[in-house]
Every structure is written in C-alpha cells, then in structure tokens.
Amino acid sequence: MIMKAAPLVVLLPLLRCAADLDFHARMQASLEASLAQYPAVPKSTEAVSRYLAGVLFAPTFSVLVYEGRLFVDRRFLGAEKNRKHANFVASALAHEHVHNAAYFFSGNSTGLCDRDRDRDAPVAPCLVIAKVAGHGMRGVLVPNPYFQDVGYWDAVRSHVRARAATRPFAGRDPRLFWRGHISSSYHAPGDPLHPEPCADEFGNHARLEAMAAGLRAPETVDVKCWILSKRRAGVRCHPRDDRDEACAEYPYDATMAKARDDPALVTDPGHVAKENFTQYKYVLNLPGSTAGSYSRNLNHLWFLRSVVVFWKAPFVEWYFPALSAGETHLVVDAANVSSTVDALNRGAIDAQSLLRQADRVDDELLCPRCLARYFKTALAALSRRFSLAKVLDDPCVAELFFEHLDCAGLDLVEVKHTVRAAGSYDIDARRALLTSTASEPLPGGGCAELAAMAGARCNATHRDAHRSAHKLSVLKGLWMNAVP
C-alpha cells in the first residue's frame, strides 16, 4: 500500500518538537523499564483482585487514588515524607485527572523499600523518591517530597525566578557555589541495623572533598557549611573523624584533614537564602549527607539562570533519564572541579548553551504542572502494567472488591488538598513549609465507604444497563475465590 506524504504544514511542527519530545521519551522509557522488573498481572478479575488485595492496605505504606481522591491509613501520615507526599498527590489531583491506582510509597532516601524486597514473590513496586545506586534498583521513581505541593512550588519558583531576572549572568560571581552541612553517617561496628559502618558515608565524604577543593582554589570554588538561622541556631559542619572512624573506601587527603581539624575554615558565617544563590554563575549539587543519595537542594537549582554542576555520584531521581552530562549540566569530582570552572570562565565550555538547557529542564520537567503531569503518567503506566482498570475502573466490580476487602484494624482517611490564597506562602523565611495535612476519616474503617462510593457510580452508570444480577453474583463468586 502506498501511503500519502504528510502535508508540510503537519511535518514542520513535528520536526520542531522532536528535541522537546526526546526529554519525555527518555523518561517514559525509563519508567517502563522500572515496571518491567515486576511480573505483569493477567487481565482477569481474579488476578487483579489478588494483586490489589496485596497492596491495600499496609498501614504505613499503602496509598489509594480512587475517583480523583486520595486515601491512606492514618498511620501513613505519621512520617514527615509520607505527609509531604500525600499533600503533593492531593494537589496533583486538583490539577490533573489521575488514573485510579493503588501503590506502596517509601520515603527512604536510598530507594530501598521494605515492601519490595522479595525478588521471587509476585510483589508490587514501591514508588520511591531516589535510587542511591542507579536505575537498576527496584521501584518506580516519583518527585521527592520537597517540591511540597503544586501551588507552593509555583510560589517558590516564581519568587526565585524573579530575583534571577534581576541579576544578569555576566555580572555574577564567577565561582562554583554550594551551601549545606556535613554530619557523619558512620555507624559503629556491630550495629545490627547498619552492618556496614561506612555504607552511608559517600555523601559526607563528597561534601568534604568539595570543601577541600574550595580551600585549594578559593578563586573558583565557594563550597562551605552553613550556619542555621537565628531561630535554629547552630553550625552544621561535623565531618567524620577518620582517625577514630576509619573508612578505607573514603580516605581523607591533607586538605580534607585540615578542614576536619578546623571546620571554621569551611564554614560560612551567614545563611544564604535560595534567591541569593542567583549571585553566582555556577551552582553545585552534592549528594545527600544521610545516605549519599539525592539532595533536596537540586530541586531549586534549575531556575536560577546559573550553570548547574553535579558532583559525580550514582544516585538518580525520576527526571534524570532526560538529562545529559555536558548538555543540561556538567559533572565534576575532586580532580577536575577547579579546572572545569576555569574552563567555563575562559569560554572553553559554552555556558550559554548550558543555561538554555537548564531552562528547558525547569520549563518542561520541573514546572509545577509538569510535576503533576509526570505523576499522572507514572500512575497510568502502573495501572497498565498491573491491569488495575479491570477492577478499579469498573464501579460495579470495584464495589464488590471493597465490600470484601479485609479492612479490620484500619483507620482510613481521605487526604484533602489545602488550597492557599495567593501570597499566603511563607517563602521568605526558610522555604520550609510546615506540612499540615488535612484529612477526614472514612466511616466504618473506610472500606465500606469506598464500596458505597463505587456502588453509587455503579447504580448511576452501569448496573441497570450492563450488569445483570446473575453477572454480579458470578463476579462476587470470583472475588471470594480469588482472595483467601
């Protein structure tokens, strides 16, 4: 068959958008690869019911998105990252139509999840916020909790972008900038919870390496610990003492030892607010201090109109597949950090191209609506992989599922999106929004109310037209036989 050529008026927009689509194509491929580590669920009522019964409800892990509403056990909200995740999801639901889905969530910064450890069992994935060892780890990556909620992120981003616009790149400080803290993550030998004493020291070691680079070349590298605000006074610079807590894989050189002995050498006497990062041409992202994984600092770097520089590290976040070293950002380590900054200042590295690509990352991946859309994409992929629509999208089947789901001992609540008035965000203090999760209990432990929700839709849209009493009784039998 001979196909007609597409009209030029159609082809031109497609060609112009090819590069833009590449960001999302890479992210989608990575998302699908992470889900492919788990066995797909057969598209039968029994199989999907079994899967969902295994996901709902582990009190401190399980999340249900159903009919545009968010449900968890109250105990889920006991952890700060869980509360922030719930607030983010509730705000995303207010902006996007998100697929019905059930999942586990783990706020562990490494990406490890207690609900997803048995590779031999037919398990469900955890949604995780980072993977300390790279994309090969199990789990499905989603935005970390420190984007707060969609509205808050919009306020912070707009505030800092406005400040960046007042500081032309050419007039900024031509050094590589970072502020943060060092706090030893060494674990004494014999600790049953941490059998490897040095396993979590990668991030702190990298931070001390970067500070030592600043001592050696202060004209190119401005990396220091900070002092907290007056409200939370204290210096945050306490590197591991390698003489008492030796880590063969993380040795100190002479400059690092000097900073260890006199932390004041690498301590900034003042706190630098995020909008004042825009004083610098180049901003550094270092691995986190607690486990050497992600750092919430990176969330804010892409909209500074500064060149973004990563310290070499294996951890990944949800949008990292879209990034490309040398195009969207630079990667450095102790050996080349100063020479890289020097190359930027000499024009040997094209800073303007990197600035344009950082803008793309901000505009297309990390904009407030972008976060909500990616979450929608992730849950849609999750639903497809495990055929969740077979039960959750059919209200008559969902009614039967929730009627027979074991909810004994649960305290289910619906998490509500807190709408704040424009200008009400506290973005000038420390940008640390206190999470006040608004939730309402569901009657009867929750599952009865979920069944009633589904039943109301079934009665209104399906039962009379598409479901005979015989069909419902058959489905009920399948469900009762599906779950022990």
Side-chain angles (χ1 to χ4, degrees):
M1 180 177 66
I2 299 175
M3 299 184 66
K4 293 182 179 179
L8 185 60
V9 70
V10 174
L11 285 177
L12 286 177
L14 290 176
L15 291 172
R16 282 196 298 268
C17 292
D20 296 338
L21 290 172
D22 191 51
F23 265 8
H24 300 285
R26 288 187 233 169
M27 290 168 59
Q28 185 70 40
S30 180
L31 174 61
E32 298 291 349
S34 68
L35 286 166
Q37 296 187 65
Y38 303 86
V41 173
K43 295 181 180 180
S44 70
T45 304
E46 305 100 306
V48 178
S49 294
R50 283 184 180 275
Y51 176 87
L52 285 170
V55 176
L56 298 173
F57 277 96
T60 59
F61 287 93
S62 298
V63 180
L64 172 66
V65 174
Y66 185 62
E67 297 300 317
R69 297 161 69 179
L70 178 64
F71 304 96
V72 297
D73 187 279
R74 194 180 300 278
R75 285 163 285 188
F76 180 87
L77 302 176
E80 181 196 14
K81 288 181 182 177
N82 288 10
R83 291 194 302 275
K84 291 182 184 297
H85 175 73
N87 276 348
F88 168 76
V89 175
S91 72
L93 295 178
H95 288 81
E96 294 287 334
H97 173 70
V98 177
H99 288 73
N100 292 330
Y103 60 87
F104 296 128
F105 173 77
S106 172
N108 188 311
S109 63
T110 66
L112 296 175
C113 176
D114 288 339
R115 305 298 301 187
D116 186 15
R117 294 217 170 181
D118 188 350
R119 287 184 174 271
D120 298 322
V123 293
C126 278
L127 270 57
V128 296
I129 60 179
K131 296 181 180 181
V132 69
H135 288 291
M137 292 178 63
R138 286 159 70 86
V140 176
L141 286 164
V142 292
N144 70 64
Y146 296 101
F147 289 101
Q148 305 287 359
D149 63 47
V150 173
Y152 184 78
W153 184 242
D154 187 33
V156 170
R157 179 172 174 264
S158 297
H159 175 75
V160 179
R161 278 163 62 111
R163 183 65 60 87
T166 69
R167 290 176 169 149
F169 182 78
R172 296 186 183 189
D173 190 322
R175 293 179 293 168
L176 180 63
F177 172 82
W178 181 87
R179 291 294 182 274
H181 70 269
I182 297 178
S183 179
S184 174
S185 294
Y186 179 86
H187 302 287
D191 183 341
L193 297 178
H194 302 93
E196 298 293 332
C198 300
D200 295 334
E201 262 296 280
F202 172 75
N204 286 302
H205 186 263
R207 292 178 175 212
L208 191 60
E209 277 189 310
M211 291 178 193
L215 287 178
R216 286 189 291 268
E219 72 282 359
T220 55
V221 180
D222 183 8
V223 175
K224 294 178 180 176
C225 291
W226 62 6
I227 294 178
L228 295 179
S229 63
K230 293 179 180 178
R231 183 166 56 91
R232 299 175 64 222
V235 178
R236 301 288 296 277
C237 206
H238 304 287
R240 168 178 56 89
D241 190 331
D242 58 319
R243 295 163 297 190
D244 298 327
E245 300 174 337
C247 292
E249 61 269 51
Y250 301 123
Y252 289 3
D253 64 20
T255 311
M256 295 168 71
K258 185 184 298 185
R260 173 203 66 202
D261 294 337
D262 187 3
L265 293 173
V266 291
T267 299
D268 189 332
H271 176 74
V272 182
K274 289 291 188 294
E275 62 265 28
N276 290 327
F277 286 22
T278 59
Q279 294 173 345
Y280 290 81
K281 286 186 174 182
Y282 320 119
V283 288
L284 178 63
N285 182 59
L286 283 160
S289 62
T290 56
S293 188
Y294 85 103
S295 168
R296 71 185 77 172
N297 178 58
L298 182 59
N299 294 2
H300 304 83
L301 300 189
W302 300 101
F303 49 65
L304 298 175
R305 288 292 296 158
S306 304
V307 172
V308 178
V309 181
F310 284 18
W311 196 266
K312 187 177 181 181
F315 73 86
V316 294
E317 296 190 62
W318 59 279
Y319 65 100
F320 278 28
L323 306 182
S324 180
E327 296 180 9
T328 54
H329 65 287
L330 299 175
V331 177
V332 299
D333 57 20
N336 71 347
V337 57
S338 182
S339 61
T340 298
V341 176
D342 182 62
L344 282 162
N345 287 330
R346 288 187 290 104
I349 297 176
D350 186 354
Q352 291 302 318
S353 176
L354 288 160
L355 292 176
R356 289 191 294 271
Q357 291 302 314
D359 280 345
R360 277 194 65 205
V361 173
D362 175 47
D363 289 337
E364 300 177 29
L365 303 179
L366 299 183
C367 73
R369 195 68 181 265
C370 301
L371 301 179
R373 286 173 177 164
Y374 178 79
F375 187 75
K376 173 181 178 177
T377 298
L379 288 202
L382 187 82
S383 178
R384 287 193 302 273
R385 182 66 180 172
F386 304 111
S387 304
L388 303 187
K390 185 72 177 180
V391 170
L392 294 181
D393 288 6
D394 185 323
C396 300
V397 178
E399 178 187 15
L400 294 169
F401 173 80
F402 290 125
E403 280 179 352
H404 293 87
L405 185 64
D406 182 7
C407 286
L410 294 180
D411 182 13
L412 298 187
V413 297
E414 179 182 358
V415 178
K416 301 281 192 175
H417 173 48
T418 302
V419 179
R420 297 176 179 84
S424 66
Y425 295 90
D426 181 17
I427 57 177
D428 286 321
R430 292 189 63 251
R431 245 142 255 98
L433 176 68
L434 296 178
T435 306
S436 178
T437 307
S439 60
E440 295 181 359
L442 296 187
C447 287
E449 181 65 15
L450 293 171
M453 285 173 53
R457 285 202 63 214
C458 177
N459 286 331
T461 61
H462 286 292
R463 180 169 288 172
D464 292 340
H466 302 292
R467 294 286 188 268
S468 66
H470 174 70
K471 180 68 173 177
L472 286 173
S473 66
V474 170
L475 288 172
K476 183 173 180 179
L478 289 174
W479 161 245
M480 294 179 69
N481 289 330
V483 180

